[in-house]
Amino acid sequence: MRRAIVRGTGHYLPERVVENSWFEDKLDTSDEWIRARTGIERRHFAAEGQRTSDLGILAARAALDKAGLAARDIDAVIVATSTPDLTFPSVATMVQAGLGMTRGFAYDLQAVCAGFVFALANADAMIRAGLAERVLVIGAETFSRIMDWTDRGTCVLFGDGAGAVVLEAAEGAAGTSQDRGILATDLNSDGQYRDLLYVDGGVASTGTAGYLRMQGNLVFRHAVEKLADTAHRALDKAGIAPEQVDWLVPHQANLRIIEATAKRMHLPMQKVVLTVADHGNTSAASIPLALSVADAQGRFKPGDLLVVEAIGGGLAWGSAVLRW
Ligand code: UT7
């Protein structure tokens, strides 16, 4: 059985770090409120002129280095993003050019905060179908560019960054859940929830990029319910019991959502990778950032079983089960 295994991870965070206290003299908010309600302490913001593709290229290079591979070894690049440099061409083709890669193919995928999980499922399907041997899967975002800085309910939550994973085809020895690599994925969306989380601009509507709008407490409720559901479905598909999970690597939107999901999955918080305090919500970049940070810390051992899950605008949500 052909499997997509993780060969390397990498990430990039912009230099500028903004602490919660930065917002205190601009808005009616406090470090205390932000920490208590979200778990966020600081976030990174891209420099003026620094684009999503710049972040993606640096994360991709780091992942290639870690994998011991060159750009010419890659067949496809998928960038999950909702904050592209331009309407077109794709950020992925800009990353491709930035890496000096002149063969293969590259495209963007947009499923907002769930984008990386969708891209991972896409890459897994392409690898198993024989369309590609090695795929760079990147989540890269500059959400600071779509913040309404007068809306305290959203602008304190998001940050910029990029994470990347190199997936590679490998023959699974057992053809069972003991194999390394992606074992199952579960994708969902429901467009009737459009108004809970959206950007109020776009090419075919306003002709502007727009600003992020969110009914946070309603998204919160959907997140708590849907994230554990999708994780359980992916585990079922993989034939794995929840207690066999070594690491939950969740979308980093809100510590309270992460804790509620872990509880529903009966996982202790020691098994949960947390980066939300330092990164805030980086949308599609949050899971590959968390994977790369934890990998760099040597936390994942070969054979460990990981679950990744995310939800965001659409609503769109999903999960993947993989063995390290
Ligand atoms: O990545 C995509 C998925 N997105 C998410 O997962 C985000 C999900 N939602 C959340 O994380 C939370 O809903 C928030 C952090 C956005 C808000 O927390 P909450 O506990 O749901 O608060 P709330 O929206 O119910 O608001 C409670 C109060 C309100 O005041 P009143 O109406 O009770 O007087 C808000 O106006 O908190 C107020 N508030 C703030 N106060 C201080 C909202 N934002 C702030 C703020 N500082 N930054």
Side-chain angles (χ1 to χ4, degrees):
M1 160 98 76
R2 205 170 140 97
R3 299 278 194 195
I5 62 159
V6 175
R7 170 90 185 245
T9 62
H11 68 272
Y12 173 77
L13 288 158
E15 267 171 45
R16 183 175 169 219
V17 178
V18 171
E19 301 287 335
N20 288 345
S21 54
W22 183 79
F23 294 95
E24 286 178 345
D25 58 359
K26 295 170 181 65
L27 294 164
D28 181 14
T29 190
S30 63
D31 174 40
E32 198 190 352
W33 190 95
I34 301 169
R35 275 174 200 252
R37 307 300 283 182
T38 72
I40 298 166
E41 296 174 21
R42 58 192 65 82
R43 72 287 290 140
H44 294 247
F45 285 150
E48 214 184 306
Q50 199 174 28
R51 296 177 172 201
T52 299
S53 63
D54 298 322
L55 276 48
I57 290 165
L58 291 167
R61 280 198 195 126
L64 286 172
D65 280 354
K66 189 81 192 291
L69 294 170
R72 65 175 174 279
D73 300 321
I74 300 298
D75 301 313
V77 180
I78 311 176
V79 176
T81 188
S82 304
T83 46
D85 298 13
L86 302 172
T87 301
F88 77 78
S90 63
V91 173
T93 53
M94 297 178 194
V95 171
Q96 192 189 19
L99 296 175
M101 186 183 150
T102 51
R103 56 172 285 275
F105 59 99
Y107 61 95
D108 288 359
L109 183 155
Q110 202 260 64
V112 204
C113 295
F116 181 78
V117 175
F118 277 57
L120 204 65
N122 238 246
D124 172 50
M126 287 203 298
I127 285 174
R128 285 190 295 107
L131 267 67
E133 292 297 311
R134 295 196 189 98
V135 184
L136 247 174
V137 186
I138 302 168
E141 302 277 19
T142 48
F143 261 52
S144 63
R145 302 278 154 73
I146 52 166
M147 288 298 110
D148 172 354
W149 299 106
T150 65
D151 178 10
R152 68 177 182 171
T154 55
C155 74
V156 303
L157 304 174
F158 293 88
D160 301 336
V165 166
V166 180
L167 287 183
E168 179 176 70
E171 274 315 308
T176 67
S177 63
Q178 290 311 307
D179 287 351
R180 287 183 66 208
I182 297 176
L183 300 173
T185 56
D186 181 65
L187 304 182
N188 313 267
S189 60
D190 189 341
Q192 71 175 314
Y193 297 117
R194 183 186 83 163
D195 294 343
L196 299 192
L197 176 50
Y198 65 101
V199 169
D200 64 3
V203 179
S205 52
T206 59
T208 62
Y211 296 108
L212 183 144
R213 306 292 172 203
M214 178 167 71
Q215 297 184 49
N217 47 6
L218 294 180
V219 176
F220 192 106
R221 274 184 241 163
H222 282 285
V224 168
E225 175 199 308
K226 292 182 165 53
L227 289 173
D229 275 2
T230 178
H232 282 133
R233 264 196 305 278
L235 285 166
D236 271 357
K237 289 182 196 175
I240 286 167
E243 52 272 21
Q244 291 172 266
V245 174
D246 295 298
W247 296 102
L248 177 66
V249 188
H251 173 45
Q252 310 281 322
N254 185 315
L255 180 60
R256 292 187 295 138
I257 295 175
I258 295 172
E259 286 171 344
T261 306
K263 196 170 168 200
R264 281 179 175 233
M265 294 178 69
H266 304 290
L267 290 176
M269 287 305 287
Q270 301 92 276
K271 291 188 171 187
V272 182
V273 174
L274 293 174
T275 53
V276 66
D278 295 327
H279 301 172
N281 182 348
T282 57
S283 188
S286 96
I287 290 174
L289 266 166
L291 282 172
S292 176
V293 167
D295 188 22
Q297 293 168 343
R299 295 175 77 183
F300 305 141
K301 303 283 174 271
D304 276 1
L305 195 90
L306 276 65
V307 174
V308 300
E309 41 83 340
I311 186 167
L315 295 176
W317 67 102
S319 61
V321 176
L322 60 140
R323 197 175 291 286
W324 202 249

